[in-house]
């Protein structure tokens, strides 16, 4: 696979994971912790980096 293709897949996966993690941490703080509308940016960013790198590489290895 070309480097440009894997980079594009990593970026798309990162953005989707970041959006999902941000939404989940927001809803967690609103509904469970009752802290108000607070997003845990550090956790969302870390999770998005981890998922954004691991998933495209794992999908590439399976093929």
């Amino acid at each position: 696979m070309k480097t440009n293709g894997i980079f594009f897949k990593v970026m798309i996966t990162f953005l989707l994971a970041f959006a999902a993690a941000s939404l989940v941490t927001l809803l967690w703080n609103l509904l469970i912790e009752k802290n108000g509308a607070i997003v845990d940016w550090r956790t969302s960013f870390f999770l998005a980096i981890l998922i954004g790198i691991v998933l495209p590489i794992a999908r590439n290895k399976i093929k």
Side-chain angles (χ1 to χ4, degrees), residues 19-41 43-44 47:
S22 298
L23 181 66
V24 167
T25 58
L26 173 68
L27 291 175
W28 178 268
N29 283 327
L30 276 173
L31 302 175
I32 306 298
E33 295 292 326
K34 308 286 191 218
N35 288 336
I38 299 172
V39 176
D40 189 358
W41 296 110
T43 301
S44 300
L47 190 62

Side-chain angles (χ1 to χ4, degrees), residues 9-29:
K9 288 182 180 183
V10 166
M11 289 306 297
I12 294 297
T13 307
F14 170 79
L15 291 174
L16 290 173
F18 186 69
S22 298
L23 181 66
V24 167
T25 58
L26 173 68
L27 291 175
W28 178 268
N29 283 327

Side-chain angles (χ1 to χ4, degrees), residues 6-22 24 42-60:
I6 193 77
F7 180 73
F8 180 72
K9 288 182 180 183
V10 166
M11 289 306 297
I12 294 297
T13 307
F14 170 79
L15 291 174
L16 290 173
F18 186 69
S22 298
V24 167
R42 184 178 62 184
T43 301
S44 300
F45 194 71
F46 177 74
L47 190 62
I49 287 174
L50 188 68
I51 291 173
I53 291 172
V54 170
L55 281 181
I57 292 172
R59 281 190 226 137
N60 193 24

